């Protein structure tokens, strides 16, 4: 396959053009892609929608540890030696489209395709930066700022010109898990953001880019 093909086609089309080793799935809301502890034998690419990664403690306590948006990979932990089992559940937040790429194919692409390996490395670096920012957010920011940042990340504005985006349906309990706050506290801040005109909240949440002003507060 010509090395320029990834740049020409884009990730989804490039991966589908590989044929064997890549499968496309159209998921309904809350569809479970894999469970914590399942055999880890593939990497996934989100071509539409959003996927949440949920981990459970031995006592059964649940925590949302990440969100994968369209254009991002998840499940890449299987590429690490000794990581043969999934570390979390992966669940579709709403309707979603994903590509499942067999582990062996990903490893071959990383070895043989410079463009793919460079793009995949950029994804891993972005994921690492996100995890670092999440940690800083938890350590130093108020629950109000953490909620604002979470909503902006979920909004995943397609372009810099977009002023409003609808986020997938998430319960206040799920948002509270992601933010590390109580559900009543999250409800209080959602009402405050709505009153300030930063979001529209009536079943679904429409996030305005202006919500970023909350992050600029001292």
């Amino acid at each position: 396959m010509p090395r320029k093909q990834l740049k020409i086609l884009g990730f989804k089309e490039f991966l589908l053009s590989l044929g064997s080793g890549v499968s496309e799935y159209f998921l309904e809301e809350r569809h479970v892609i894999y469970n914590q502890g399942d055999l880890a034998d593939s990497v996934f690419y989100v071509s539409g929608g959003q996927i949440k990664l949920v981990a459970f403690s031995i006592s059964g306590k649940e925590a949302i540890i990440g969100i994968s948006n369209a254009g991002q990979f998840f499940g890449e932990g299987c590429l690490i030696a000794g990581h043969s089992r999934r570390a979390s559940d992966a669940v579709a937040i709403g309707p979603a489209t994903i590509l499942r790429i067999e582990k062996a194919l990903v490893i071959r692409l990383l070895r043989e395709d410079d463009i793919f390996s460079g793009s995949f490395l950029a994804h891993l670096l972005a994921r690492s930066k996100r995890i670092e920012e999440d940690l800083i957010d938890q350590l130093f920011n108020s629950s109000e700022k953490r909620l604002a940042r979470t909503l902006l990340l979920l909004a995943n504005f397609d372009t810099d010109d977009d002023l409003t985006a609808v986020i997938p349906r998430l319960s206040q309990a799920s948002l509270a898990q992601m933010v590390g706050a109580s559900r009543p506290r999250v409800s209080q801040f959602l009402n405050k953001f709505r009153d300030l005109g930063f979001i529209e909240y009536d079943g679904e949440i429409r996030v305005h880019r202006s919500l970023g002003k909350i992050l600029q507060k001292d």
Side-chain angles (χ1 to χ4, degrees):
M1 180 168 298
R3 293 177 61 186
K4 292 183 179 179
Q5 192 159 354
L6 174 55
K7 285 187 175 181
I8 295 172
L9 294 178
F11 255 114
K12 177 182 177 180
E13 291 76 12
F14 168 75
L15 291 169
L16 287 174
S17 73
L18 298 175
S20 178
V22 180
S23 304
E24 185 173 21
Y25 296 92
F26 301 93
L27 311 178
E28 295 182 354
E29 182 179 2
R30 299 182 183 177
H31 181 94
V32 179
I33 301 152
Y34 57 72
N35 290 116
Q36 186 172 324
D38 285 352
L39 182 66
D41 58 358
S42 54
V43 175
F44 294 86
Y45 177 77
V46 186
S47 57
Q50 292 178 311
I51 307 298
K52 65 178 179 181
L53 305 177
V54 185
F56 298 86
S57 68
I58 295 176
S59 62
K61 187 175 181 179
E62 176 183 344
I64 298 174
I65 60 173
I67 299 289
S68 292
N69 295 309
Q72 297 178 338
F73 291 91
F74 67 96
E76 66 272 22
C78 71
L79 301 175
I80 303 173
H83 289 67
S84 60
R85 299 288 172 179
R86 299 294 186 188
S88 66
D89 288 6
V91 184
I93 295 177
T97 306
I98 63 171
L99 302 182
R100 177 186 180 275
I101 313 125
E102 293 181 3
K103 176 180 175 179
L105 176 57
V106 177
I107 292 173
R108 180 171 66 80
L109 288 170
L110 291 172
R111 289 174 176 169
E112 300 177 1
D113 192 305
D114 293 342
I115 297 176
F116 178 88
S117 60
S119 298
F120 195 79
L121 177 60
H123 159 77
L124 294 179
L125 292 173
R127 173 69 62 84
S128 177
K129 183 174 182 291
R130 166 76 180 276
I131 292 172
E132 181 179 324
E133 291 173 345
D134 287 346
L135 178 59
I136 293 171
D137 194 39
Q138 288 290 334
L139 289 174
F140 299 113
N141 283 338
S142 65
S143 52
E144 180 183 20
K145 286 188 175 182
R146 294 200 304 271
L147 177 59
R149 178 173 177 269
T150 296
L151 293 175
L152 288 167
L153 288 171
L154 286 169
N156 192 35
F157 294 101
D158 291 331
T159 71
D160 291 338
D161 295 329
D162 289 342
L163 298 179
T164 305
V166 179
I167 70 171
R169 288 182 178 271
L170 279 173
S171 67
Q172 290 186 6
S174 293
L175 283 172
Q177 288 178 2
M178 298 174 70
V179 172
S182 66
R183 192 202 62 76
R185 195 74 168 145
V186 166
S187 178
Q188 176 186 346
F189 288 133
L190 287 175
N191 290 333
K192 177 181 178 179
F193 296 164
R194 179 176 56 189
D195 293 342
L196 291 171
F198 294 148
I199 67 170
E200 299 170 42
Y201 181 43
D202 184 15
E204 67 179 15
I205 301 178
R206 299 181 65 88
V207 178
H208 300 297
R209 193 181 290 274
S210 57
L211 179 60
K213 293 178 181 178
I214 295 293
L215 303 181
Q216 298 168 9
K217 291 173 57 178
D218 292 332

